[in-house]
Amino acid sequence: MKTNLRYKFFFILAIVLLCIYGIIGLPKSKDELLANWHNNIHLGLDLSGGTYLVIQVQQQDAFNQEASTDADLLKDSATKANIPIGEVSVDDAKSLEDAKSVAIVVKGVPSAMAGNFRSLVTEKLGEWVLTSQNPTDYRLTLKPTEALALWRNTLELSKNTIDKKVNALGLTEATVQQRREESDSELLVQMPGTDDPTRVKQIIQTAGVLELYDVKAGPFASREEALAQQGGVLPVGTKLIGQASPAGVSAKGGGVYVVARTPVVRGTDIMGATPQSGRMPGTFETAFVLSQEAARRFSDYTGSHIGKFLAIVLDGKVLEAPVINAQISDQGVIEGQNSQQESKDLALNLKAGSLPASVRYEQESTVGPSLGADSIHQGFIAGIAGVLAVIAVMLFYYKKSGINATLALVLNAIILIACLSYFGAVLTLPGIAGIILTVGMAVDSNVLIFERIREELRAGKAIIPAGDAGFGKAFLTIIDTHITTVVSCAILFMFGSGPIKGFAVTLVIGLVANVFTAVFVSRFIFDWELSRPKPVAALSI
């Protein structure tokens, strides 16, 4: 009996020490203790202050890009299949409302080749619906199921990309979530403790699309000069790209370049990026690494284009156009960043990937930390008042056994806060409400056990059998009530918004901790009291 209690004691002690370590670590001073507390307990936007943004994803950009890519694919496929086509253009969506109405317009298909053209569209562009405008002209529109899938994927990719960017900035528990129903295009970005929302907006807005293009001609002083040098019409399969603006990274050589329409390396080929110091003191650059497939493709290209120019393009602007001096495989360097911060931001954007569509800021609100301080103070006062009232009632009604319940209650709170720290969860006002409700649930569990023991004592059982029966019979009731509450919390977490999820998380953690403290710890205290050398004549309950 005593050996078993000794093992239980050390197990409970280990749990307590582990929880205390998770909350405050191993501080060597009061300042370090306070610092560890603030670092381990993450406060939400409603408590710590910060900024939240409402961002609208311009879905029409993704639809237009999808149509442009498939239009190029259609032209190339028609050329390879020897199907003459007069003109292929894209009827762009001009606004969010008509995003799904984007279309590919094809003109000048010979009537004799209509059957071959239809077969080609079915084979290469199965997600598009082909309709005939007249014997030689056609219009392609996205199937409703494909349009809906593209809409959802664009929103989800935008959400994931923005989430990577804001969290890579080191913001404490920044969250990105859809604002309303699935068909909505707005995202809510919450950034607790953010003191520079302007920089965050700039990082989000920067697409970070790095592309490497084969340079056909240039640089030219202007677009007009570039067109004039090409006889007024660009060669097939080429386009013009200008240098970066003065506010960005300055392009080497300057001017406008005629480049191949299809890049050698796309932004999706970037596997990683790292900021680093340049070769010259005081300069900065960003190194990037390509995927295995892109590295093979890039190696073949650079090996066959030694001595020619390669345009490094970021967000549609030429950063630099160096000469290829040797074969390059899986990595490269972007030079010319003006500061270490600029190099870090560029690396962040390259790693996070590009947004599939542009974004527009609908709303920006800042919550002052004073509101959070007031909320914390009021919540703390409410919690302390509730706990003290509960403890007073338990001590008055159950006498010395109330001390048992009080110790279990304190340990429950320690375990709950430690779990929030270890899981990196964010404590919000609804979360505090969940903690306070947990206190009530913990007391309820102890009341069930104590009343069961009282019933057994009234029935004439001895103290030890009455305690065993009380804990045994109350256990199933406690498990039943806790499981039903956990199921309710799971539903709240699945379908609720951010504040509701915070409430559900703290309540579930508290419930799990309560099963341990009310059943295991409280039972240990009773057994320890009854195992003392001096016999217990009556149980103070």
Side-chain angles (χ1 to χ4, degrees):
M1 177 75 175
K2 291 184 178 180
T3 302
N4 188 32
L5 287 177
R6 190 179 296 114
Y7 289 148
K8 289 184 178 181
F9 170 77
F10 284 116
F11 177 72
I12 295 172
L13 180 62
I15 293 294
V16 172
L17 293 177
L18 187 64
C19 290
I20 294 175
Y21 176 78
I23 297 172
I24 60 175
L26 297 174
K28 299 178 180 178
S29 64
K30 180 181 178 181
D31 292 338
E32 187 175 347
L33 185 149
L34 295 175
N36 290 345
W37 170 268
H38 289 296
N39 291 334
N40 292 333
I41 306 301
H42 304 301
L43 301 181
L45 191 67
D46 52 356
L47 298 179
S48 65
T51 300
Y52 78 86
L53 303 172
V54 177
I55 299 176
Q56 186 180 76
V57 181
Q58 303 298 290
Q59 302 267 28
Q60 67 271 22
D61 293 345
F63 281 80
N64 292 338
Q65 179 61 40
E66 181 78 7
S68 297
T69 301
D70 286 348
D72 291 339
L73 173 62
L74 180 60
K75 286 189 289 185
D76 293 340
S77 300
T79 301
K80 293 177 181 178
N82 296 319
I83 301 175
I85 294 178
E87 179 185 352
V88 179
S89 61
V90 176
D91 188 359
D92 288 340
K94 306 301 181 184
S95 65
L96 191 63
E97 288 70 24
D98 63 350
K100 297 178 183 179
S101 65
V102 65
I104 300 174
V105 179
V106 184
K107 296 182 179 181
V109 180
S111 300
M113 303 295 290
N116 293 342
F117 177 72
R118 288 179 178 274
S119 299
L120 178 67
V121 171
T122 302
E123 178 186 355
K124 300 294 184 180
L125 302 177
E127 67 273 20
W128 293 83
V129 178
L130 180 66
T131 57
S132 176
Q133 302 294 103
N134 55 58
T136 61
D137 299 341
Y138 297 87
R139 185 179 182 87
L140 286 81
T141 55
L142 276 172
K143 294 179 180 178
T145 53
E146 295 293 335
L148 181 60
L150 179 58
W151 182 281
R152 292 175 177 173
N153 292 339
T154 301
L155 189 62
E156 185 66 21
L157 182 57
S158 299
K159 176 179 145 184
N160 293 338
T161 302
I162 293 174
D163 184 69
K164 289 179 184 178
K165 290 187 177 187
V166 296
N167 282 294
L169 288 171
L171 304 179
T172 304
E173 297 302 322
T175 59
V176 182
Q177 60 189 32
Q178 199 166 343
R179 195 180 184 195
R180 287 190 289 269
E181 67 276 3
E182 187 177 2
S183 60
D184 187 53
S185 61
E186 291 184 347
L187 299 174
L188 176 63
V189 183
Q190 299 186 60
M191 299 168 287
T194 303
D195 56 359
D196 189 8
T198 302
R199 177 172 174 246
V200 176
K201 290 167 65 177
Q202 182 179 358
I203 291 294
I204 293 175
Q205 191 70 54
T206 302
V209 180
L210 179 69
E211 297 172 315
L212 307 182
Y213 284 91
D214 179 26
V215 176
K216 300 298 185 180
F220 301 100
S222 64
R223 291 180 176 272
E224 290 74 17
E225 180 182 341
L227 288 172
Q229 291 291 331
Q230 304 299 316
V233 179
L234 290 176
V236 176
T238 63
K239 63 180 179 179
L240 295 176
I241 299 182
Q243 69 176 17
S245 62
V249 182
S250 58
K252 296 182 179 180
V256 177
Y257 294 82
V258 179
V259 301
R261 178 170 292 275
T262 303
V264 180
V265 173
R266 299 179 180 273
T268 52
D269 296 325
I270 306 295
M271 298 300 293
T274 307
Q276 60 187 34
S277 299
R279 286 172 290 184
M280 299 295 293
T283 61
F284 302 92
E285 59 190 27
T286 303
F288 62 88
V289 180
L290 302 177
S291 65
Q292 185 175 359
E293 171 60 25
R296 182 195 60 76
R297 189 169 65 247
F298 192 48
S299 177
D300 293 341
Y301 167 79
T302 54
S304 60
H305 288 75
I306 294 177
K308 297 185 179 181
F309 289 100
L310 174 71
I312 300 177
V313 179
L314 179 68
D315 294 341
K317 299 293 182 180
V318 177
L319 297 183
E320 53 183 320
V323 175
I324 302 173
N325 294 318
Q327 188 174 21
I328 307 172
S329 180
D330 63 344
Q331 55 189 329
V333 174
I334 304 173
E335 300 177 336
Q337 280 89 79
N338 297 321
S339 65
Q340 186 178 20
Q341 187 62 60
E342 188 176 330
S343 177
K344 288 181 178 179
D345 289 348
L346 177 56
L348 186 157
N349 279 303
L350 292 179
K351 286 188 291 185
S354 61
L355 290 169
S358 62
V359 296
R360 187 175 68 189
Y361 297 99
E362 296 291 317
Q363 183 181 350
E364 175 184 346
S365 297
T366 301
V367 180
S370 60
L371 176 60
D374 292 341
S375 301
I376 294 174
H377 178 71
Q378 293 172 3
F380 182 77
I381 294 297
I384 291 297
V387 169
L388 290 178
V390 168
I391 291 174
V393 171
M394 294 295 287
L395 292 175
F396 175 79
Y397 194 69
Y398 292 110
K399 301 182 175 56
K400 288 180 64 176
S401 294
I403 300 176
N404 185 334
T406 301
L407 292 175
L409 191 64
V410 172
L411 181 56
N412 192 350
I414 293 175
I415 294 175
L416 197 158
I417 296 174
C419 287
L420 292 178
S421 174
Y422 278 117
F423 296 155
V426 179
L427 182 61
T428 61
L429 277 177
I432 293 178
I435 293 174
I436 295 175
L437 181 57
T438 299
V439 172
M441 296 288 289
V443 172
D444 180 63
S445 298
N446 282 278
V447 169
L448 284 173
I449 295 171
F450 293 168
E451 289 302 319
R452 280 288 188 179
I453 295 175
R454 276 184 164 185
E455 290 178 2
E456 299 299 328
L457 290 173
R458 290 192 191 105
K461 285 189 177 182
I463 294 176
I464 294 179
D468 291 340
F471 277 97
K473 292 179 179 179
F475 177 73
L476 293 178
T477 304
I478 292 172
I479 292 297
D480 180 61
T481 57
H482 281 55
I483 287 178
T484 54
T485 308
V486 168
V487 170
S488 300
C489 290
I491 295 173
L492 290 177
F493 187 85
M494 291 173 59
F495 300 105
S497 59
I500 301 299
K501 290 182 178 181
F503 172 80
V505 167
T506 54
L507 185 54
V508 167
I509 294 174
L511 291 172
V512 174
N514 182 50
V515 172
F516 171 72
T517 57
V519 176
F520 187 85
V521 177
S522 184
R523 178 67 179 270
F524 165 78
I525 297 174
F526 267 109
D527 290 343
W528 174 78
E529 178 69 20
L530 296 174
S531 67
R532 296 171 64 182
K534 184 179 179 180
V536 178
L539 195 61
S540 177
I541 196 169

